[in-house]
Amino acid sequence: MITVLGGGLAGCAAAIAARKEGAAVEVIEKSTFPRHKVCGEFLTAEARPLLDSLGVQLPEAAAIRSVRLRFKWTEKTFNLPEAALGISRYLLDDRLQAHARSLGAAFVREPPRPVDIVASGRQPRSVRGRRFFGFKNHFRGPANDAVELYFFRGGYVGVNPVEGGVTNVCGVLPEELLRSMSFRIDDVVNQFQPLRERLDGLEPVMEWLKTGPLIYESKIGSTDAFACGDALLFTDPFTGSGMFAALATGACAGQTKARDQPLEVFRTQSGRILSRAFSAAGFLRSLLKTPVAGLMMPFVPGPVLYRLTRPRA
């Protein structure tokens, strides 16, 4: 019996992969699903063959074919080499859990035995220094086929379509900015004129969801457990690789554990998938904090920027 702690993207991917290897699986998840989560809800093209291997189909997902980067004074647009997917966590989590159950994985609320795979997400802890918080909302109105990133005031807000003609708006901004406006997200996003104009005419579906503090870190190569998803690595959301990373490391953990392979095999495989993208994202994050970022970015080929932050499929 393989016990997985966490029933989100990584945990369900681990459960599905382990069941496909013939192992008995139990998933521990205390939360009620499906539910909305703060997430960019963007799946890179690399996720398509992975989802196929897991047996998960997402015909409702919106096709995303281009990228738009908007800075204070400049803008950059380019086409993606392959169409990405826009899919809400509400639907994706539900689809993965349903598939895991259909394969025979059991879902329980309390751990009856030691845990084999940790997929419980980021662990809340206090941090010193500058902190970042994330937020998200869904909007109804005209949607396009682009993922748009608006960089301002030390952070950014992403806009992209998901299923059903809905537009996801998700951002990461420094705590001091959010606190100065009492975490009123409408007031914050209205400060940046290009973003305000982009959202004009769209109607929010729900109240803003918030999460944080967000801590960028990687335990690849040092984890002493089969940890996957955010429990293994939390990288910059602007790369759009977070959901793929969760699915890929979860599937890797489930397959490795089901085959009774040592932890070092999982470390090596997860490192091959994610290490380069994590390092590149950290470098770009530092660059984007500088005043010249908006002046430099138009001269860097868009496909190069995109390729630098892609995990290896």
Side-chain angles (χ1 to χ4, degrees), residues 167-204:
T167 296
N168 182 47
V169 178
C170 185
V172 175
L173 288 170
E175 180 180 15
E176 57 265 31
L177 171 60
L178 294 170
R179 285 201 181 279
S180 71
M181 309 193 78
S182 303
F183 279 81
R184 295 188 301 270
I185 306 302
D186 284 319
D187 293 345
V188 174
V189 299
N190 284 334
Q191 280 198 331
F192 192 45
Q193 182 178 349
L195 180 58
R196 182 173 68 248
E197 293 174 351
R198 174 64 180 86
L199 300 183
D200 186 39
L202 301 183
E203 294 294 329

Side-chain angles (χ1 to χ4, degrees), residues 81-300:
E82 296 180 76
L85 301 176
I87 184 81
S88 72
R89 285 297 301 273
Y90 189 95
L91 178 59
L92 182 56
D93 285 351
D94 186 52
R95 194 62 53 79
L96 284 163
Q97 277 206 12
H99 187 50
R101 292 178 191 274
S102 74
L103 294 176
F107 282 73
V108 299
R109 290 187 177 274
E110 297 296 333
R113 56 178 59 83
V115 171
D116 299 299
I117 296 174
V118 179
S120 51
R122 293 177 291 109
Q123 297 303 308
R125 58 186 175 89
S126 61
V127 291
R128 295 180 178 179
R130 198 180 192 201
R131 306 197 305 177
F132 291 82
F133 284 77
F135 50 90
K136 163 197 152 171
N137 205 342
H138 280 173
F139 289 77
R140 294 200 181 277
N144 58 26
D145 63 352
V147 57
E148 306 166 61
L149 292 171
Y150 295 80
F151 294 92
F152 68 103
R153 299 289 298 272
Y156 52 91
V157 174
V159 180
N160 64 264
V162 293
E163 74 278 359
V166 170
T167 296
N168 182 47
V169 178
C170 185
V172 175
L173 288 170
E175 180 180 15
E176 57 265 31
L177 171 60
L178 294 170
R179 285 201 181 279
S180 71
M181 309 193 78
S182 303
F183 279 81
R184 295 188 301 270
I185 306 302
D186 284 319
D187 293 345
V188 174
V189 299
N190 284 334
Q191 280 198 331
F192 192 45
Q193 182 178 349
L195 180 58
R196 182 173 68 248
E197 293 174 351
R198 174 64 180 86
L199 300 183
D200 186 39
L202 301 183
E203 294 294 329
V205 174
M206 55 188 170
E207 298 294 324
W208 287 99
L209 303 178
K210 303 160 193 170
T211 189
L214 306 178
I215 304 167
Y216 305 109
E217 62 181 347
S218 171
K219 298 178 183 177
I220 295 173
S222 63
T223 178
D224 57 359
F226 284 85
C228 49
D230 286 351
L232 176 67
L233 172 141
F234 183 71
T235 191
D236 304 75
F238 70 77
T239 66
S241 59
M243 292 206 295
F244 172 81
L247 292 169
T249 56
C252 181
Q255 184 181 77
T256 305
K257 189 65 179 177
R259 292 177 178 178
D260 201 26
Q261 294 175 316
L263 177 61
E264 189 57 39
V265 172
F266 170 69
R267 286 176 174 171
T268 300
Q269 292 179 351
S270 57
R272 180 186 64 81
I273 296 169
L274 299 175
S275 291
R276 183 188 67 179
F278 182 84
S279 299
F283 170 76
L284 288 174
R285 183 192 336 130
S286 300
L287 179 62
L288 289 168
K289 291 178 182 178
T290 66
V292 298
L295 300 176
M296 295 173 57
M297 286 300 177
F299 299 99
V300 181

